[in-house]
Amino acid sequence: ENASNYGQFVDLLMRNRFSLFRALEPHVKRADLERLSKDFMALFTWREITLDYIKSAIRQDVDASESEGTLFRTNTLLTAIMSSYCQRVGKTYLKSVLGPAFQWLQESTQSFEIDPAAEGGAPEAIKQNIFNVNYLANKFFKAILNSNDSIPFEIREIANTLQVAVLKKFPNSKYSAVGGFFFLRFVCPAVLAPELCDVTFSEERKSALRRPLVLVAKVLQQIANDQKFNEPHMEPLNELISKWTVKVHQFFDLLVQKDTSALHKERDRVLEQMKDEGEMVKGLLDKIGAVSLFSVHRFVSDHTKELMVKFSEQEKELGYNPAEELQELIYDMGVPPDAERPKTRAVSLSIRK
């Protein structure tokens, strides 16, 4: 009975284009964002609907946005789930594509500091280091731009959904939203934290390799934002950005092409897996994990009243209050159990100028 209740609980959150779940998003505190994004994604993964949620949320958020420039640039539950999902489905791709550049950097004895204040101001050393950064960034760029055939179909689906939605609302913004998603949410986290795609550096080299990876990520970030550097010591890298801009746009044109065959295969797989609903519900706790399931139960339970108020305002339009059924189910499920969460090491993805 408990598993059945939780199965119904998950399904209620997903109904009507995830309306109940989306109504909960503003109540997620910044400090809880990473934890709850993983917990909710565990629920989506059990139902094999993470991609459906991301695509639905993208369409809703773009439609509600007043400015393309702010889309998905802040940390929200959607962007956190999107980043985690992309890291999961794209880990093999990222390791394969970025791995050789990481390996070259690991073996390199070059210096990459281009800030005169940090390097000591020696002009010849700065000039050589600018060359080194350009060389390293080119390695990453070439690897990425030559990888279109191996990009996971899930990444293509998100990019396509994003561009179609953005062009409908903001016709002059063809590339910036796709660039923000692909580079800022997918590639840059792996560049800044190679361990996300199972790439490790030797302990004695870790600190020295941090700075060049930050510089590469900053270049990728500027291309994603379609901007040039204004800081004097970074301006020499603008030539690199200009050099690659047209080719990056061509890459985006290929990126947003849907892989229909792969999508159909995935849908067939999901449908086959979901044939036996009873068995799916029985395996719910094992698939999702007690910690994530109880965490979501507790969070929803804490905010049921807010959902009732929000949807009571829409009851006339909808003909019913979808939060009522959830409130009754939460009452039947009782107090959320406690479960100990395993400790994990946080990964910092900040970019120092």
Side-chain angles (χ1 to χ4, degrees):
E1 182 182 354
N2 199 38
S4 178
N5 280 343
Y6 273 117
Q8 187 180 355
F9 169 70
V10 174
D11 288 342
L12 278 173
L13 293 176
M14 312 308 168
R15 282 184 195 168
N16 301 319
R17 295 195 308 161
F18 305 87
S19 59
L20 285 170
F21 172 75
R22 300 235 67 199
L24 287 164
E25 291 180 14
H27 299 288
V28 178
K29 296 177 182 177
R30 187 178 182 85
D32 298 328
L33 196 59
E34 182 180 359
R35 173 180 62 81
L36 281 172
S37 68
K38 291 178 179 178
D39 293 336
F40 276 114
M41 198 172 87
L43 269 65
F44 294 150
T45 302
W46 171 65
R47 272 302 189 194
E48 301 282 1
I49 53 172
T50 311
L51 184 59
D52 292 332
Y53 158 71
I54 291 172
K55 290 165 64 176
S56 176
I58 284 173
R59 295 186 188 105
Q60 293 173 42
D61 284 8
V62 171
D63 189 55
S65 177
E66 296 181 358
S67 169
E68 181 277 331
T70 60
L71 280 172
F72 313 115
R73 302 292 168 140
T74 57
N75 292 324
T76 65
L77 192 58
L78 169 59
T79 58
I81 289 174
M82 190 186 300
S83 295
S84 294
Y85 179 71
C86 290
Q87 288 167 19
R88 180 167 64 83
V89 300
K91 180 183 285 190
T92 300
Y93 162 82
L94 290 170
K95 183 175 183 179
S96 171
V97 171
L98 304 182
F102 285 136
Q103 183 64 33
W104 181 87
L105 181 60
Q106 163 92 319
E107 297 171 357
S108 173
T109 59
Q110 305 295 324
S111 175
F112 297 91
E113 183 53 74
I114 62 175
D115 186 351
E119 184 64 19
E124 287 303 314
I126 294 295
K127 184 178 180 180
Q128 179 60 48
N129 291 354
I130 290 171
F131 175 85
N132 296 341
V133 171
N134 271 277
Y135 186 82
L136 176 63
N138 269 301
K139 277 189 168 293
F140 279 93
F141 271 125
K142 287 180 181 178
I144 292 167
L145 298 188
N146 290 329
S147 70
N148 214 291
D149 290 343
S150 59
I151 295 173
F153 84 90
E154 296 94 338
I155 303 298
R156 291 187 184 281
E157 278 291 309
I158 295 172
N160 174 271
T161 300
L162 185 55
Q163 188 179 80
V164 168
V166 168
L167 284 178
K168 184 177 178 181
K169 186 76 179 282
F170 308 104
N172 296 322
S173 301
K174 184 176 182 182
Y175 297 115
S176 58
V178 173
F181 156 66
F182 186 78
F183 282 124
L184 301 185
R185 295 291 170 186
F186 181 45
V187 176
C188 283
V191 171
L192 288 167
E195 59 267 31
L196 292 177
C197 52
D198 292 337
V199 173
T200 56
F201 293 132
S202 60
E203 287 298 324
E204 62 270 18
R205 294 285 288 148
K206 273 185 179 180
S207 59
L209 300 183
R210 170 69 181 171
R211 182 58 175 160
L213 291 178
V214 166
L215 291 171
V216 169
K218 283 179 68 66
V219 173
L220 294 175
Q221 185 180 46
Q222 292 303 90
I223 285 189
N225 292 328
D226 203 12
Q227 295 176 351
K228 299 289 182 65
F229 290 111
N230 293 320
E231 308 97 316
H233 71 279
M234 298 294 291
E235 286 181 348
L237 298 178
N238 286 338
E239 185 178 343
L240 177 68
I241 295 173
S242 298
K243 170 187 173 182
W244 285 107
T245 296
V246 173
K247 290 185 177 180
V248 167
H249 288 173
Q250 292 171 345
F251 172 80
F252 289 157
D253 286 336
L254 294 173
L255 171 66
V256 298
Q257 294 178 7
K258 294 164 70 77
D259 188 341
T260 307
S261 175
L263 183 61
H264 287 166
K265 286 181 181 178
E266 176 65 7
R267 284 177 176 169
D268 289 344
R269 183 191 70 78
V270 172
L271 289 172
E272 180 65 29
Q273 183 174 313
M274 296 180 70
K275 276 183 178 179
D276 193 334
E277 180 72 14
E279 286 302 313
M280 274 202 75
V281 170
K282 286 180 184 178
L284 180 148
L285 199 60
D286 293 334
K287 184 82 173 184
I288 296 178
V291 173
S292 291
L293 195 57
F294 299 160
S295 170
V296 172
H297 180 182
R298 188 175 302 106
F299 176 74
V300 175
S301 181
D302 288 343
H303 296 285
T304 304
K305 289 182 180 179
E306 288 97 324
L307 291 179
M308 287 294 294
V309 172
K310 177 179 176 61
F311 284 99
S312 66
E313 297 169 357
Q314 304 176 23
E315 192 165 356
K316 288 184 179 179
E317 180 185 343
L318 296 173
Y320 74 108
N321 186 337
E324 285 184 357
E325 187 176 355
L326 180 64
Q327 186 182 49
E328 292 174 5
L329 183 61
I330 289 288
Y331 179 81
D332 291 341
M333 291 166 67
V335 178
D338 288 319
E340 186 176 350
R341 184 179 299 274
K343 294 181 180 180
T344 57
R345 183 175 64 86
V347 176
S348 173
L349 298 181
S350 61
I351 300 180
R352 176 173 67 86
K353 291 185 178 180

